[in-house]
Amino acid sequence: MTDRTFHFTLGPVQGFVAQARRTRDFWAGSFLLSWLAGAAMQTVIAQKGTIVFPTADEDYLGWLHSKRGGKPPRQGGIPNRFKATVGEHFQPVLIEQAVRDAWRAVAEMVWRKDLARHCQRYPDSRVIWDRQIHGFWEIAWALGDDDSLLDRRKNWRTQLAPDEAGIKCSVMAGWQELSGLLAPDTKALKSVLEAFWQPIREQCGRDLADDETLCAIAFVKRRFPHYFEQVRVEKMPGDWTLHGWTVKPQTPSTLDLAAANWLARVVREGSETVLDRLHDAADALFAPSDCGVHRLRCVKDAYRARGLTHLNSSALFGHVLDNKKECPDQATARAMKQAIKALNLKEPPSPFYAILLMDGDRLGELLRKSGSAVSKALDRFTGKVPHIVDRHNGFLIYAGGDDVLALLPLEDALQCAAVVRQCYLDAFAAQNLESTISAAVEYAHVKMPLTRILGDSHKLLDEVAKEQRGRDALAVRVWKPGGQALEWAMPWARVFDQDGKLAIEQLAMQFTRDDTAVTDKEDDRFSSKFFYKIREHFDLLNPLRSKPGQAEEAVIFDDNDALSLLAVDYLASGIDKGRPDKLKIKDAERIIQPLLEQCRPVVRHKNDSTVSFSTSKRLEADGALLVRFLAHKGVER
């Protein structure tokens, strides 16, 4: 009998990964999902099957079943979906059993270590735990050569989430927290809730915040790193042994990411006396062992060079120091503020960080034509991504197949996206193939809920970069505490300037504050005043909106008129202040032309092998506002 094709998928991906209150939850969900998918892959291999797509990461799978040498995996690298060729005696049910056995093993380890003794007085907690642990995963598989089989199988929806009563989890919406209390509407009931959770919080330390009440799934995600090394299942389906390994529980927080480059510069340039004062003040507020900033390359290198220990980035931000819940000892908080002031820096750390999400474009069609070559290209690509993210001071959450998910400092996100894209193109070119990849970058204020930004990143990638801009594109959003501040997107072909550099970043470098005096003949500069009313200026210059039945927008000012009028505004913005040789209108037009190019929406069109671009007649201010945001690192001045 000929071999058959086995298709497998494990979910819910967004329900497990993206529901995260901390970056650690985000990483944990991706890590565990990858580990469980790896258990499924290894069980296929144990039944003499062969993983066809994507290429199985042998080093990763080795850590699952035999603990090979080298560094253990620290982030997700196995996709939740794969296909394999299998023989006549292959048993698909064993794959599903393997995933559930692996999940129960890690969950049971957490229960025994953290909850078993305490919950002896709360029998309902074990009932809730078992219901949630046993009923969470949606596993679908199909046998057959048609790649659409699995999607049709998933539509059956035979896996239904259990009903959840009572108080809901602080992290995963809709899931009941573990105390079993139905509704803490009175002070007495709230005290019962606290009586359940307070001893657990004291045991778990800073892993649980004072206001957090978690469901079983969220609790496993939060606590498994402490015990993952001890996970072992001797008799997995297919007759192999499953292992965990040592993982570091410290993960860079959003504050760590926001402060990384600022802190690295302070450590490199600060005097020993000032740095000692800074660290002593920070240690009086927060335990340095709780932070993950030292996992970011720029900070790691800076501290290693100075022979210093790490501080908790929470102590670097004014809004944290002013929060009496976070810093009840305000005298100690004031000492930290004085230590920061002693650095004599003009700027505090930026309160913004970035999420980078990337995904290959229409890979399914190419996979059907050149399956093995595509797998080799993706294997090469994903092998290089961790080093790229690390070089750009980021923390990789996931790199598997054509998907990349990473957290980065504001200053490094766009450059990292560009380098990852080039790596993707090179990997396919090495196989004599062409494929493209789109990217979404979300710049978020540290006060914004992480779950909200994570959920939005997929919409930004799918709806804006891919659908609105025609794929092979980059899309950016900025989120401030009040909500979405701006959105900008551009096909990759128009993102770079003639020197191959990111045009939007080059424009940001030209940005200067009003109080900067010019003493030489610098001419590539911008001022805040020029950007202050740029949205109003663009609205006046833009063509009138089309009426129903009109083929095109009515044009009042053509491109040359708009350029000239904005050049006048540019010269009136005070850019000539202190300049010995005043700029002329043609100089101003040359300077702002690249800015306007980044403010006109462009759509990529691909018909067969032909690619073309259409450029809107409208000017959108968000491109210019992104320049100002990047130049000021999100800090209003």
Side-chain angles (χ1 to χ4, degrees):
M1 186 175 179
T2 59
D3 286 344
R4 298 171 295 173
T5 302
F6 172 70
H7 307 263
F8 174 87
T9 185
L10 173 65
V13 176
Q14 291 306 306
F16 189 62
V17 177
Q19 292 198 71
R21 202 174 190 186
R22 304 181 182 184
T23 55
R24 178 164 152 187
D25 300 332
F26 189 21
W27 163 81
S30 177
F31 183 93
L32 284 172
L33 184 67
S34 183
W35 184 69
L36 294 173
M41 273 192 179
Q42 184 57 38
T43 306
V44 170
I45 295 170
Q47 295 189 72
K48 311 301 181 185
T50 301
I51 306 301
V52 175
F53 182 83
T55 301
D57 187 333
E58 294 183 3
D59 290 336
Y60 188 103
L61 295 181
W63 278 89
L64 261 75
H65 67 80
S66 61
K67 289 198 172 182
R68 294 180 180 177
K71 294 182 178 180
R74 65 179 186 180
Q75 70 275 319
I78 301 290
N80 71 305
R81 180 170 178 156
F82 64 84
K83 68 178 181 178
T85 56
V86 296
E88 179 180 359
H89 301 294
F90 176 76
Q91 300 180 61
V93 69
L94 295 185
I95 313 304
E96 181 172 350
Q97 182 183 336
V99 172
R100 299 196 186 281
D101 286 354
W103 171 240
R104 282 193 291 266
V106 70
E108 194 61 27
M109 181 68 72
V110 172
W111 172 268
R112 290 202 312 269
K113 295 290 186 179
D114 286 342
L115 298 173
R117 180 178 298 179
H118 175 68
C119 289
Q120 287 177 355
R121 292 173 293 163
Y122 299 91
D124 288 346
S125 297
R126 183 68 203 203
V127 175
I128 296 169
W129 180 275
D130 288 341
R131 182 183 73 237
Q132 293 176 347
I133 293 298
H134 296 166
F136 180 74
W137 292 107
E138 300 172 5
I139 301 172
W141 56 266
L143 282 169
D145 294 331
D146 186 350
D147 286 340
S148 68
L149 280 174
L150 189 56
D151 292 326
R152 300 206 304 269
R153 170 64 183 83
K154 287 171 65 178
N155 288 336
W156 292 356
R157 294 289 296 174
T158 56
Q159 173 77 18
L160 299 176
D163 292 333
E164 296 289 320
I167 305 164
K168 298 305 185 286
C169 176
S170 304
V171 176
M172 301 187 67
W175 292 87
Q176 184 180 11
E177 56 82 37
L178 289 169
S179 76
L181 190 64
L182 293 180
D185 294 331
T186 69
K187 187 175 182 179
L189 289 175
K190 288 181 180 178
S191 67
V192 174
L193 186 67
E194 282 301 297
F196 177 86
W197 281 104
Q198 190 55 35
I200 299 173
R201 294 186 190 118
E202 292 174 358
Q203 176 183 330
C204 297
R206 292 179 66 88
D207 279 358
L208 268 69
D210 290 342
D211 62 343
E212 287 186 318
T213 58
L214 304 183
C215 65
I217 301 128
F219 197 90
V220 170
K221 287 170 61 177
R222 189 65 63 81
R223 292 291 291 170
F224 91 92
H226 298 284
Y227 314 120
F228 189 62
E229 183 181 17
Q230 302 174 45
V231 174
R232 182 182 177 92
V233 182
E234 293 285 351
K235 196 72 174 177
M236 288 290 288
D239 195 23
W240 61 282
T241 300
L242 173 70
H243 297 273
W245 54 83
T246 302
V247 293
K248 297 178 181 179
Q250 291 90 0
T251 301
S253 67
T254 57
L255 292 169
D256 291 332
L257 293 157
N261 283 289
W262 185 92
L263 179 58
R265 185 169 64 254
V266 165
V267 172
R268 288 195 305 267
E269 300 173 0
S271 68
E272 184 174 346
T273 301
V274 171
L275 289 177
D276 286 345
R277 179 182 177 185
L278 184 74
H279 282 71
D280 290 344
D283 290 350
L285 286 167
F286 302 104
S289 60
D290 291 335
C291 72
V293 70
H294 61 281
R295 300 191 69 177
L296 305 177
R297 172 59 56 187
C298 59
V299 178
K300 183 191 301 183
D301 291 345
Y303 272 101
R304 184 181 295 148
R306 296 299 297 267
L308 296 171
T309 57
H310 309 289
L311 60 74
N312 193 307
S313 299
S314 298
L316 299 175
F317 291 88
H319 72 275
V320 177
L321 298 175
D322 292 335
N323 188 325
K324 294 182 180 180
K325 185 177 179 180
E326 291 280 346
C327 301
D329 186 349
Q330 283 294 292
T332 306
R334 286 192 293 272
M336 185 66 203
K337 291 180 181 179
Q338 289 301 315
I340 295 173
K341 187 176 181 180
L343 296 171
N344 290 320
L345 297 176
K346 294 181 179 179
E347 302 171 357
S350 168
F352 287 86
Y353 68 99
I355 295 173
L356 171 63
L357 178 65
M358 302 184 74
D359 177 61
D361 299 315
R362 289 178 172 158
L363 201 60
E365 182 179 345
L366 185 61
L367 182 61
R368 287 190 289 272
K369 296 178 181 178
S370 310
S372 61
V374 171
S375 292
K376 290 178 181 178
L378 292 177
D379 187 45
R380 172 174 174 167
F381 169 66
T382 56
K384 292 180 179 295
V385 169
H387 305 289
I388 295 173
V389 173
D390 181 64
R391 288 201 313 269
H392 289 84
N393 306 315
F395 184 78
L396 183 63
I397 299 294
Y398 176 80
D402 59 333
D403 296 326
V404 175
L405 188 56
L407 305 173
L408 295 122
L410 178 153
E411 300 92 333
D412 301 291
L414 291 181
Q415 281 289 340
C416 184
V419 176
V420 170
R421 172 188 180 255
Q422 190 59 52
C423 175
Y424 185 90
L425 299 181
D426 292 344
F428 278 84
Q431 299 296 323
N432 295 316
L433 297 173
E434 289 186 7
S435 183
T436 61
I437 189 168
S438 294
V441 173
E442 299 266 9
Y443 292 111
H445 194 282
V446 294
K447 290 184 178 181
M448 290 294 296
L450 180 60
T451 298
R452 179 177 177 182
I453 307 303
L454 294 176
D456 186 71
S457 63
H458 290 273
K459 295 179 182 179
L460 180 62
L461 179 65
D462 295 336
E463 298 175 7
V464 180
K466 289 179 178 282
E467 294 302 320
Q468 294 183 21
R469 291 296 181 264
R471 294 175 170 78
D472 193 18
L474 167 68
V476 176
R477 276 186 184 144
V478 172
W479 291 88
K480 295 186 178 181
Q484 182 179 321
L486 65 89
E487 176 186 297
W488 171 86
M490 190 69 67
W492 278 112
R494 302 295 178 87
V495 165
F496 303 99
D497 63 18
Q498 59 185 5
D499 297 322
K501 298 178 180 179
L502 289 164
I504 208 80
E505 285 197 337
Q506 294 302 303
L507 290 165
M509 290 174 62
Q510 298 169 16
F511 199 103
T512 173
R513 283 172 282 173
D514 290 335
D515 58 358
T516 302
V518 180
T519 57
D520 55 15
K521 196 178 178 181
E522 291 183 280
D523 54 4
D524 290 346
R525 303 177 70 86
F526 292 108
S527 70
S528 292
K529 186 177 179 181
F530 176 65
F531 285 81
Y532 185 65
K533 291 187 176 182
I534 199 162
R535 194 183 297 277
E536 296 176 23
H537 295 324
F538 280 8
D539 286 343
L540 290 172
L541 295 171
N542 275 333
L544 299 176
R545 293 286 185 183
S546 299
K547 295 180 181 179
Q550 286 184 321
E552 296 181 355
E553 295 173 326
V555 176
I556 298 177
F557 300 102
D558 63 22
D559 291 355
N560 291 330
D561 293 334
L563 179 61
S564 297
L565 289 169
L566 287 168
V568 173
D569 286 332
Y570 174 78
L571 292 176
S573 69
I575 201 66
D576 276 335
K577 179 182 178 182
R579 188 189 301 274
D581 296 322
K582 306 302 181 185
L583 293 174
K584 297 179 175 59
I585 189 71
K586 290 297 182 184
D587 298 320
E589 290 176 353
R590 174 180 56 79
I591 293 168
I592 65 173
Q593 177 66 46
L595 175 66
L596 300 190
E597 290 175 356
Q598 296 299 311
C599 293
R600 294 192 186 278
V602 179
V603 178
R604 174 180 176 270
H605 308 277
K606 189 173 189 302
N607 297 313
D608 297 325
S609 60
T610 303
V611 176
S612 61
F613 300 90
S614 58
T615 303
S616 174
K617 299 172 183 177
R618 302 188 64 80
L619 290 165
E620 293 187 350
D622 281 4
L625 297 178
L626 178 59
V627 169
R628 185 176 68 176
F629 171 84
L630 294 173
H632 285 172
K633 300 179 183 178
V635 179
E636 294 295 337
R637 300 190 176 105

